[in-house]
Amino acid sequence: MLDKVEKFVVERPDDHIASLLARFRELDIGRKDPKLFYKKTNLVRPLGERIAASGGYDLDDTLYYPDVCEGRYTTSTVSVIRYLMGCIRSDTRAVVEFGSGWSSNLFQLYVALGTTRSRRIHYHGAEYTDEGQECGRKIAKHDGKINYTAHPFDYRKPDASFLKDCKGHVLVFTKHSVEQVDLIDPDLYEQLWQLQADVTLVHFEPVGWQRSSALMARRAADDDKFFDKIGERLGGDVKSVDRQMANAAWWSWRNAYNTNLLSIVEDYTAREKFKLVKREYDFSGTANVLNPSTLLHLERRA
């Protein structure tokens, strides 16, 4: 990835950062608020409300909006970037992504918010690999206006000390980054809880299957035979939640994904160190139905 970024910077010195994101198919800002039309247009609002209600939602939900698929009314989900935009406050001073890779999500959020809204925000890409950090630095330098810093970061030995002086509001998020680590050190959440700032923590991670104690027990026992059997019959009943979770657990086992994120979140919310604002299991499998995203939105007031 680093060589692609360097080539872009050299060959397209005047191109906007959005061009780079688009070339790498990482520009996923999505539409304007897709529910705004229904809220402002009385003619179609009743229909929009009924469509949302058919999925168990309403027009105030920040994740779902009315849609049509194959000739039928249904609900769809907004993009990750669009959801995160809704988490930005007037006093947001830092936006952090743990496991940021080359920070494509951070740069998308920056593009979506715009230079003016971003002028008071410090963007932090916390990434394990040197290449990911260096890519982020080169792209930020190419833009020239974004306040961005790349930090070395390891979920197994987390260090969020770069946030210790933050005031106001901090938005922290992750997107499919726990695929790279088996166990997260819970001290990361302790560090976030101790910040002298309001903290919004949003996870978009493939951990929905972790709500099954039976599947978790199989993973803990390293039951390879059990998961091999799941892999042999991935078809199954496409309408079964249990089958979907089993398939996702198989994918997690196959790639040695994380097994403790959900338990950490449940612990910190049970002890009321963080408030659970929204939890939506397996809400989107657009990229890979065997690896669906689960949304965990937490808040903590300083």
Side-chain angles (χ1 to χ4, degrees), residues 17 106-115 118 123 143 145-146:
I17 190 173
L106 285 170
F107 294 132
Q108 287 184 73
L109 190 54
Y110 166 68
V111 168
L113 291 173
T115 304
S118 293
Y123 292 87
D143 174 77
K145 295 180 180 178
I146 183 174

Side-chain angles (χ1 to χ4, degrees), residues 153-168:
F153 178 78
D154 186 343
Y155 274 116
R156 295 160 296 187
K157 298 178 181 178
D159 181 5
S161 60
F162 57 87
L163 295 172
K164 62 182 176 61
D165 295 325
C166 283
K167 305 296 181 183

Side-chain angles (χ1 to χ4, degrees), residues 118-190:
S118 293
R119 67 182 184 275
R120 295 181 179 177
I121 298 176
H122 192 157
Y123 292 87
H124 299 270
E127 164 61 17
Y128 181 75
T129 67
D130 293 337
E131 180 174 338
Q133 296 169 45
E134 187 60 21
C135 281
R137 294 188 187 102
K138 286 184 179 295
I139 295 171
K141 183 178 180 180
H142 175 73
D143 174 77
K145 295 180 180 178
I146 183 174
N147 184 6
Y148 169 91
T149 304
H151 307 271
F153 178 78
D154 186 343
Y155 274 116
R156 295 160 296 187
K157 298 178 181 178
D159 181 5
S161 60
F162 57 87
L163 295 172
K164 62 182 176 61
D165 295 325
C166 283
K167 305 296 181 183
H169 173 245
V170 177
L171 170 61
V172 180
F173 72 94
T174 73
K175 183 186 177 186
H176 282 244
S177 62
V178 300
E179 297 170 346
Q180 312 301 325
V181 59
D182 50 357
L183 296 174
I184 296 171
D185 187 338
D187 187 56
L188 172 61
Y189 296 78
E190 197 66 25

Side-chain angles (χ1 to χ4, degrees), residues 37-301:
F37 173 71
Y38 299 95
K39 292 179 180 180
K40 287 187 173 183
T41 311
N42 291 331
L43 181 65
V44 296
R45 180 176 181 124
L47 177 58
E49 289 177 336
R50 290 199 298 274
I51 295 171
S54 69
Y57 315 107
D58 59 47
L59 289 181
D60 291 324
D61 192 285
T62 54
L63 187 63
Y64 295 92
Y65 63 93
D67 201 356
V68 174
C69 182
E70 295 185 346
R72 297 182 180 183
Y73 291 120
T74 184
T75 55
S76 295
T77 56
V78 299
S79 74
V80 167
I81 303 303
R82 180 63 57 184
Y83 188 90
L84 291 172
M85 286 177 66
C87 297
I88 297 292
R89 303 182 349 190
S90 60
D91 65 337
T92 301
R93 294 296 176 265
V95 175
V96 186
E97 181 179 13
F98 290 126
S100 59
W102 55 278
S103 292
S104 65
N105 295 314
L106 285 170
F107 294 132
Q108 287 184 73
L109 190 54
Y110 166 68
V111 168
L113 291 173
T115 304
T116 301
R117 289 183 67 187
S118 293
R119 67 182 184 275
R120 295 181 179 177
I121 298 176
H122 192 157
Y123 292 87
H124 299 270
E127 164 61 17
Y128 181 75
T129 67
D130 293 337
E131 180 174 338
Q133 296 169 45
E134 187 60 21
C135 281
R137 294 188 187 102
K138 286 184 179 295
I139 295 171
K141 183 178 180 180
H142 175 73
D143 174 77
K145 295 180 180 178
I146 183 174
N147 184 6
Y148 169 91
T149 304
H151 307 271
F153 178 78
D154 186 343
Y155 274 116
R156 295 160 296 187
K157 298 178 181 178
D159 181 5
S161 60
F162 57 87
L163 295 172
K164 62 182 176 61
D165 295 325
C166 283
K167 305 296 181 183
H169 173 245
V170 177
L171 170 61
V172 180
F173 72 94
T174 73
K175 183 186 177 186
H176 282 244
S177 62
V178 300
E179 297 170 346
Q180 312 301 325
V181 59
D182 50 357
L183 296 174
I184 296 171
D185 187 338
D187 187 56
L188 172 61
Y189 296 78
E190 197 66 25
Q191 294 177 41
L192 295 176
W193 179 73
Q194 291 177 1
L195 292 178
Q196 300 300 307
D198 289 354
V199 177
T200 296
L201 174 58
V202 184
H203 291 297
F204 299 97
E205 297 291 351
V207 296
W209 66 270
Q210 292 181 13
R211 67 188 187 273
S212 168
S213 57
L215 292 172
M216 286 290 288
R218 296 288 189 174
R219 279 295 304 274
D222 294 325
D223 194 338
D224 294 347
K225 290 184 178 180
F226 172 81
F227 288 104
D228 277 333
K229 288 182 179 179
I230 292 178
E232 292 171 359
R233 49 187 176 87
L234 283 178
D237 181 0
V238 297
K239 294 184 179 181
S240 168
V241 174
D242 288 341
R243 168 53 50 191
Q244 179 269 313
M245 282 199 297
N247 289 348
W250 171 82
W251 186 266
S252 171
W253 162 82
R254 178 175 177 268
N255 294 284
Y257 283 0
N258 172 263
T259 58
N260 74 333
L261 173 59
L262 189 58
S263 64
I264 295 174
V265 168
E266 290 175 341
D267 174 51
Y268 271 78
T269 54
R271 289 189 285 143
E272 299 184 344
K273 288 193 168 185
F274 281 91
K275 178 183 178 182
L276 182 63
V277 174
K278 191 175 185 65
R279 174 176 55 200
E280 191 74 24
Y281 291 121
D282 308 318
F283 74 91
S284 175
T286 303
N288 178 0
V289 294
L290 294 175
N291 199 39
S293 296
T294 283
L295 168 64
L296 299 167
H297 180 158
L298 312 173
E299 298 276 355
R300 174 204 167 269
R301 293 282 180 169

